[in-house]
Amino acid sequence: MDKPFSQACINNRAPIADVLERVFADKRDILEIGSGTGQHAVWFASKMPHLCWQTSDQVQNHSGICQWLDECSLPNLLAPIPLNVLKDAWPNRYYDGIYSANTAHIMPWEAVVAMFSGVGERLLSNGVFCLYGPMKYMGELSAQSNVQFDRMLKQQSPHQGIREFHDINRLALKAGLVLLEDLAMPANNRFLVWQKA
Ligand SMILES: C[S@@+](CC[C@H](N)C(=O)[O-])C[C@H]1O[C@@H](n2cnc3c(N)ncnc32)[C@H](O)[C@@H]1O
């Protein structure tokens, strides 16, 4: 299998790292949900050596992630654990940071619900959850590119689609998370940061 590659990861990794370097400055153990190709994990673990970065995803993505990890062999970057948030048991441990990018609009809504519930259970108090991706506000998508993206997602699969911020934040509140930041990012994405109360 060829090593998977995402151009989007190359484009967004620097602005995402700028935020993570600040919000994870005093954190140590990070769980990434939906590591995808593994490119984000490699970049962030190399830029933030104080973090121990645990990758995870559905098992079908593990061989691709491992190819990226094997190539860089960073001591603070851990091989993926199987984590389909709907089906798999979560790791039996706690994290002071959890990160997930471009997952909420891909997984079905019940998986988004399960993701927030698991995050609430696995975050230490004062730990932070960072969620990156496009977001809808009061039912509106402000950018035409996101309107088209949302349409394409729904054509691909009816369970997909850009989520409503208030629905997402309701899940966060239920999981004991308090919104700290909602940042505008390049290419009409958002960066949401919650803290476990
Ligand atoms: C568009 S990719 C994003 C990958 C990477 N985070 C990035 O930003 O490039 C969506 C990711 O969500 C993951 N995903 C979808 N459903 C999931 C579920 N139920 N549990 C965990 N991960 C899931 C996919 O396996 C995939 O890695």
Side-chain angles (χ1 to χ4, degrees), residues 126-138:
N126 293 325
V128 294
F129 177 42
C130 299
L131 183 68
Y132 170 89
M135 218 39 79
K136 200 182 274 183
Y137 291 82
M138 309 296 276

Side-chain angles (χ1 to χ4, degrees), residues 1 4 37 58-68 70 80:
M1 178 192 155
T37 62
Q58 306 183 88
V59 282
Q60 63 265 32
N61 288 341
H62 284 203
S63 66
I65 296 169
C66 287
Q67 288 185 60
W68 279 93
D70 290 348

Side-chain angles (χ1 to χ4, degrees), residues 91-132:
N92 189 21
R93 51 155 309 167
Y94 297 92
Y95 297 90
D96 50 11
I98 301 182
Y99 164 80
S100 194
N102 295 311
T103 47
H105 57 275
I106 298 292
M107 52 177 72
W109 178 250
E110 60 266 35
V112 181
V113 173
M115 174 165 75
F116 272 90
S117 162
V119 166
E121 282 171 22
R122 290 292 149 215
L123 261 188
L124 291 165
S125 67
N126 293 325
V128 294
F129 177 42
C130 299
L131 183 68
Y132 170 89

